[in-house]
Amino acid sequence: MRVKALEALSLYYNYGIVAVAAGKEVKGGLALHLLETGAGVEALDEDAKAYGQVSAPAASPSPDAELDIEATAADVLAWVGEDPERAAEALARELAKDKPRSTLVKQLEKLADGE
C-alpha cells in the first residue's frame, strides 16, 4: 500500500512522532495509518485506492427509528439529536440498565435539560 502526502504531516505512529514532508511517498503500515486517520494523502496504488471504498459511512438513524439502548453511545446520541424529549427517554432507559454508562448519562442529562 502506497500513498503520497499532500501536505506536511506530523503524527504519532508506532510509539513516536513521525514527520512526513509534503510530496513524500509512504508505504506499508504508515500508509494504512494515514488513510485510517483521514490525513491529507493521495492513494498511489490499487490497495490504497480501494481502502476508502470498502465500507460506506454509517447511516444516521431515521427520525422514526426506535431507540436501541444497547447501541454505542454515539448511536444513542445520534438518535437523540437535539430533542430534549428523546434525551429524557434515552436517559431513563440508560439509568434502568445494570451498568449505566456514566459519560453517556452526563451527556443525556445536559440534552434533556435543554443545555
Side-chain angles (χ1 to χ4, degrees), residues 16-87:
I17 303 296
V18 176
V20 179
K24 181 176 180 184
E25 185 177 314
V26 179
K27 61 183 179 178
L30 180 55
L32 177 60
H33 179 74
L34 292 171
L35 286 169
E36 288 175 335
T37 58
V41 295
E42 174 188 352
L44 296 177
D45 62 14
E46 293 306 313
D47 289 337
K49 289 175 185 174
Y51 177 80
Q53 300 169 1
V54 173
S55 61
S60 298
S62 77
D64 298 330
E66 290 191 30
L67 172 61
D68 177 8
I69 202 62
E70 298 303 323
T72 65
D75 288 343
V76 171
L77 291 170
W79 179 84
V80 169
E82 298 293 323
D83 186 340
E85 289 179 15
R86 280 188 170 209

Side-chain angles (χ1 to χ4, degrees), residues 67-70 73 76-77 79-81 83-115:
L67 172 61
D68 177 8
I69 202 62
E70 298 303 323
V76 171
L77 291 170
W79 179 84
V80 169
D83 186 340
E85 289 179 15
R86 280 188 170 209
E89 178 184 345
L91 177 60
R93 301 230 349 239
E94 183 67 24
L95 290 172
K97 292 172 57 176
D98 289 337
K99 294 183 180 181
R101 297 169 278 189
S102 61
T103 305
L104 178 58
V105 167
K106 289 176 188 175
Q107 291 172 312
L108 291 171
E109 287 172 338
K110 287 181 183 179
L111 289 167
D113 291 339
E115 293 180 23

